[in-house]
Amino acid sequence: MSPTEMLQVMDVPQKSKGKAPAGLKGDDLKKMFRAMFFTRLLDQRGMNLQRQGRIGFYVPSFGQEASQIGAGYAMQDQDILWPSYRVISIALLKNVDLKIIFNQAWGNKADICKGRQMPNHYAIPDIGWMSISSPIGTQISHAAGAARAAQIRGENRASWAWFGDGGTSSNDFHAGMNFAAVWKAPCIFMCENNHWAISVPQEMQSASSSFAAKAVAYGMPGIRVDGNDVLAVYEACKEARERAEGGGGPTLIETVTFRMGPHSSSDDPSKYQAQELYDSWQKKDPIDRFRLWLKGKRLWTQKWEDELKEELMAEIAAAVESAESTPMPDVETLFDDVYAEVPPMLQEQREALLDQIRRSGDIEDTGGAFPL
Amino acid sequence: MSPTEMLQVMDVPQKSKGKAPAGLKGDDLKKMFRAMFFTRLLDQRGMNLQRQGRIGFYVPSFGQEASQIGAGYAMQDQDILWPSYRVISIALLKNVDLKIIFNQAWGNKADICKGRQMPNHYAIPDIGWMSISSPIGTQISHAAGAARAAQIRGENRASWAWFGDGGTSSNDFHAGMNFAAVWKAPCIFMCENNHWAISVPQEMQSASSSFAAKAVAYGMPGIRVDGNDVLAVYEACKEARERAEGGGGPTLIETVTFRMGPHSSSDDPSKYQAQELYDSWQKKDPIDRFRLWLKGKRLWTQKWEDELKEELMAEIAAAVESAESTPMPDVETLFDDVYAEVPPMLQEQREALLDQIRRSGDIEDTGGAFPL
Amino acid sequence: MPQMTMLDALNDALHIAMEKDDDVVMLGEDIGKKGGVFGTTAGLHEKFGEMRVMDTPLSECGIIGTAVGMAIYGLRPVPEIQFQDFIFPGFDQIVSEMAKMRYRSGGHFTCPMVVRTPSGGGIRGGHYHSQSGEAYFAHTPGLRVVMPSTPREAKGLMLSAIFCDDPVIFLEPKALYRHGKEEVEEGFFTIDMDKARIAREGKDVTVVTWGAMTPICQDAATEVAEKGIDVEIVDMRSMLPWDAETVLDSVRKTGRCIAVQEAPRTCSFASEIAATVAEKAVDSLEAPVGRVSGFDTPFPYALEHVYKPDKKRVTNAIEYVASYE
Amino acid sequence: MPQMTMLDALNDALHIAMEKDDDVVMLGEDIGKKGGVFGTTAGLHEKFGEMRVMDTPLSECGIIGTAVGMAIYGLRPVPEIQFQDFIFPGFDQIVSEMAKMRYRSGGHFTCPMVVRTPSGGGIRGGHYHSQSGEAYFAHTPGLRVVMPSTPREAKGLMLSAIFCDDPVIFLEPKALYRHGKEEVEEGFFTIDMDKARIAREGKDVTVVTWGAMTPICQDAATEVAEKGIDVEIVDMRSMLPWDAETVLDSVRKTGRCIAVQEAPRTCSFASEIAATVAEKAVDSLEAPVGRVSGFDTPFPYALEHVYKPDKKRVTNAIEYVASYE
Ligand SMILES: Cc1ncc(C[n+]2csc(CCOP(=O)(O)OP(=O)(O)O)c2C)c(N)n1
Ligand SMILES: Cc1ncc(C[n+]2csc(CCOP(=O)(O)OP(=O)(O)O)c2C)c(N)n1
Ligand SMILES: [Mg+2]
Ligand SMILES: [Mg+2]
């Protein structure tokens, strides 16, 4: 297939044709649905918490659940994930403790990253989930380097880099793709083309015929797949994962999908997005499509979904409750982890701060609101 | 033609088939030869001057004369050149005063750039030759921006960016190509694939099937041309120039050629380059090829070349003589041109320096040798 | 005179500059229909069209690099970097190209352009939406580095910057975007970037500051005034080239000095102030030169309010140097 | 003990590190068969093969970015940037990723890596092969910034840096690569990066310096000694975190201080030294704190010798502060 054609397994919208990719049993398919559905619930809750002023910021992945879970299911346990801020679904698929997520959103004392970063910038070492940063694209080079490291050590671990259509314009996309290809490193580059980089539409991001076509520049295979078709995404990723393991080098996968929500809790798409575009994509909602397909295969019932919903909502509620009632990090932790050990320079700055607090009392939290 | 096939007009090596591209008369062809031949002589002299310790550094373009002059001849007078350090031939084609070149090599008082940069980093405003810098690739974004500016002003001026195979890995290649393509800006990207980035061979630079193929990533035409065939290069460039003028946007042209000398006066290729590779390319020397072709068309005689050589050597000798006998820039010029006007901060630093010199005498020049 | 927030004032300045000169063009991420993530470019795209107000691909390298090309061509581009923290992918273009173009070409080519970018904390943005990078730029000869502290200052300095022939890094203190209004003249006017501003006259302690720390220092000055300490505040406006004379004159008068900034301490512009005082006004000094600054750690999320100097930290420092014997 | 140039010593350190630990890998432009443009990596490619000594595409962003990925994976990469001037295309990876990885992940992920790069003037390389960028890095919390001043120092500090768990910017003073030989211990040894070195003891004036300025300051000290001025030289070794105590102890003893560097003056590490002295040792000061430095201009070609501080400029400054009353 050329990198401008598009791979699909399921029909759009209302039918249930297409066979499940080899190796996927009924249980697998239900797990995939569960993670997609869970993500939707979590995102709705996250957005609400932000609207209620309980957390400062949230990034939903409405509409991109298939694009993510199809890939997540093709990963192996030892693989390494280099995520962007918009792929929380994969953590849910990997059964991460929800407290990790909400503690991070609050930046409280129990946050495993010690409240250092704004919401959605997780690091979850237990599941091979690397630390997210805001600068777009930087993780792409990291993924290439880690894949090279696995090669050097002779370990079968693939690196999965996640980024958006906007991310393809970054310096690191160019560098990371190029280095990985020259090295034939076991790396899978997941470009979620959700049509927008905040307000910049994909056609202003690049004049290329597709984002997958960018693979040609690096001499690696580029695959374009229907990103709202979880099974097609899985198939493309599985193949790429096998290629990586077999020494065939990296693959670029473009999942064609749509950002069905705002860029983040601070964004209002009505300024730049036509309602019709949104409407046309809503008909292709990946959860609706997969539900219908599963139903056709007798793997879904309303009752199952209702029970699932109840269970997941309770899990979310418990984690929110726990995170919200956990206190903020202690002031002195501000100086930890800059270096392996706190150097004298920072010890001194810490002492001065604590001394001031002893003399003049706590420092007032004056807040601040995030614009994007 | 696909970006992996290669355009040729002249045969290799010893025949004289192929027609001159439309519009090129005998005089044009002789001018092209003259500039290529001139370049070779200049480069030999430049390298010698460095070996003799008379200038600090020199970058020759041995073997790349056709790749450059074919393009130079397709430029229009009002066009803008964003050169790398290895395209002096185009200045010769445009009849630049040789003193500009040698004054710059010495960095003397008469250098129009005031001795600010190392040799080969020219700026020649009169011929639309922009200021060269060392960081690889930065001029590619400039070219895209200037092409956009011409569009904004509605002026028919194309921008020509020059860079090497190594330059395609730079941040600015990625950014400049992308912006130019999205804007459909009148820009021609000239990638001289001379097989080496210092000691790094082209196959370690990129795994792509060709450098021209990188155009696919940006949705612009990519042309691969025999870079030792001056007429083929001209043809490809002429077409790209017409496309730019017609609003068809940018083109990437890869000229496949070979660096027949060291990277620079400081480099020794024997450490990393097989003799056979060099030998195989010497048979394709672009000047030899063009001479034979011209001879076949009765446009070349040994006498003509001998006279030409004498004339050009004399020109070079005069410029060298003049540059070498011109004194170094005055110490106080160190502080000019940082800003439009010298700010108090720099006035003060200048005063302090001049004061010290008044009190303690001139500052000793301790030299230093360039390694690459 | 209309009352404006700093956002209004900047937006007004951009409108005026684009009306005045067709060569003024803007480019950046989300500056078009969306009007910028803070709204600074609101209305420009509608009014001046997409050839002069360009939404770009997501590349700061490309935004600054193509703007350099436009500036050399003869335009006056005003690129926006969405957050100062995201300027680093384009840092090479700033340091190697924009800053050195005039010098290396012997004055033949120049880069009259203004890189606008929101800087500093105040929005709970953590590491990557809060940093104050002025020292990186102020250590780069060839650049002008400007940061306004009030709406009127913002408008006057922006108009100076856009019509100046040097490349300018214009840091917009995002904490002040909507921090109260001020009367601002209508139409075109400029403020001299080369002169620091005495934001408050006083005789006991000189407080040198800039940008978003200015109102905090003013609050601190009001507070210590009640204790009889009369503070002089120097608002720097520019950090390169910078107005040492105004600072030194003040210190020679007061004999005591602190510099207040949000940035990390080491190798910062506050260090430069203190170093210059130690070099040129040491004989007037009656106390150590204090620096109140962010800590030498990355900018945190949960503890942002602890990281950023507040009124208490500033008053403590003022009182310390004021009472030093 | 063998006599070594700094190049020999660095090459020896790299060999030893790679032998000691398979996780040490190197990558960069021309470091393989060519052995680096200065020859610092000579012999490594031959000995350790292309999986551990990698010639890379021409992208500093990729070199540093992939090295960060390798470091997170668990290796100890030692990327080379061919000239410090070319580090800026990878500056974002340094500032945003390498420096902040440990902090932002709450200590879960770290970047044990050393970015080696030749720094400073001395080879007639003009703007882009001569700059001294230490202040950019020293203003970036999370980094270690190291610069040796002799062959032995270079070897010991390099081995410390490679086996340290923090990310290090290791600036190699290219002017000293072949500047004489020194006895250097064979085999593995380390030098503490956290402690500055008293390169010369004295009681009249403290000269704080680092890298290639150290021997120049030593020459100047010898010269002024004849005039009865007894200079103490502090060779900083590290500029972040940096050893303020050694500097302050010296200044408290001498009462007079200058800082000497090649970099431009404004917001430099010399500024930091002066600021810290003005803050913490102001009562001991008997003279202005002097800064001898490059000018606030780009690094020139023809006038390099005028730009770079030489012995004369240093002796003048020493004499000025020594005789100040
Ligand atoms: C280097 C950099 N520049 C700008 C931004 C601001 N920004 C945050 S998200 C975003 C758009 C990203 O678009 P895309 O890569 O398509 O990912 P998506 O948000 O659509 O998932 C921008 C411009 C940033 N985070 N980093
Ligand atoms: C950003 C940057 N990194 C490294 C260098 C050092 N360097 C100078 S020339 C060169 C190789 C350039 O190769 P290529 O682009 O193919 O051009 P060529 O020299 O072959 O014409 C390198 C690595 C540089 N000048 N700039
Ligand atoms: Mg997107
Ligand atoms: Mg090349």
Side-chain angles (χ1 to χ4, degrees), chain A residues 80 82 112-114 116-117 123 125 129-133 135 138 141-142 144-146 148-153 155 157 171-172 175 178-179 183 334 336-340 343 345 348, chain D residues 23 25 27 50-51 54 56-57 59 61-63 65-66 68-70 72-75 92-93 96-97 101-109 141-144 165-166 240-242 280:
Chain A
I80 311 177
W82 303 89
I112 58 172
C113 297
K114 307 186 188 171
R116 298 267 169 68
Q117 286 215 80
W129 174 297
M130 301 295 113
S131 166
I132 299 173
S133 70
T138 48
S141 295
H142 302 171
R148 178 63 166 174
Q151 242 178 353
I152 292 170
R153 286 253 192 97
E155 293 168 345
R157 299 177 72 186
N171 295 342
D172 284 285
N178 192 36
F179 278 55
W183 286 332
L334 194 52
D336 297 338
D337 304 315
V338 184
Y339 299 96
M345 178 179 96
E348 191 190 313
Chain D
D23 283 338
V25 299
L27 64 163
E50 63 183 22
M51 288 301 277
M54 300 167 248
T56 66
S59 165
C61 173
I63 293 169
T66 60
V68 167
M70 292 176 191
I72 295 174
Y73 192 95
L75 305 186
D92 187 44
Q93 280 287 350
S96 302
E97 301 296 323
M101 189 60 69
R102 180 187 289 273
Y103 198 72
R104 79 178 193 225
S105 69
H108 287 292
F109 298 113
L143 300 181
R144 285 181 174 275
D165 287 335
D166 298 318
L240 194 72
W242 66 282
K280 304 221 174 114

Side-chain angles (χ1 to χ4, degrees), chain B residues 46 50 55-59 105 118-121 264-266 370 372, chain D residues 301:
Chain B
Q50 196 278 341
I55 61 175
F57 179 71
Y58 193 78
V59 182
M118 64 187 304
N120 296 76
H121 290 64
S264 77
S265 52
S266 324
F370 199 76
L372 120 174
Chain D
Y301 175 70

Side-chain angles (χ1 to χ4, degrees), chain A residues 38-63 65 85-86 88 101-102 105-106 119-120 122 259-269 272 278 316 320 370 372:
Chain A
F38 196 174
T39 305
R40 187 66 61 94
L41 297 176
L42 182 81
D43 280 347
Q44 283 162 348
R45 189 58 189 274
M47 289 297 277
N48 280 338
L49 288 170
Q50 195 279 340
R51 302 270 181 257
Q52 293 161 2
R54 292 160 74 187
I55 59 175
F57 178 71
Y58 193 79
V59 181
S61 38
F62 297 132
E65 298 88 348
Y85 44 74
R86 207 188 289 284
I88 191 59
I101 293 172
F102 285 107
W106 261 274
N120 295 77
Y122 315 98
R259 195 192 76 200
M260 286 176 64
H263 170 73
S264 76
S265 53
S266 323
D267 178 44
D268 168 15
Y272 54 81
Y278 177 86
I316 292 173
V320 165
F370 198 77
L372 118 175

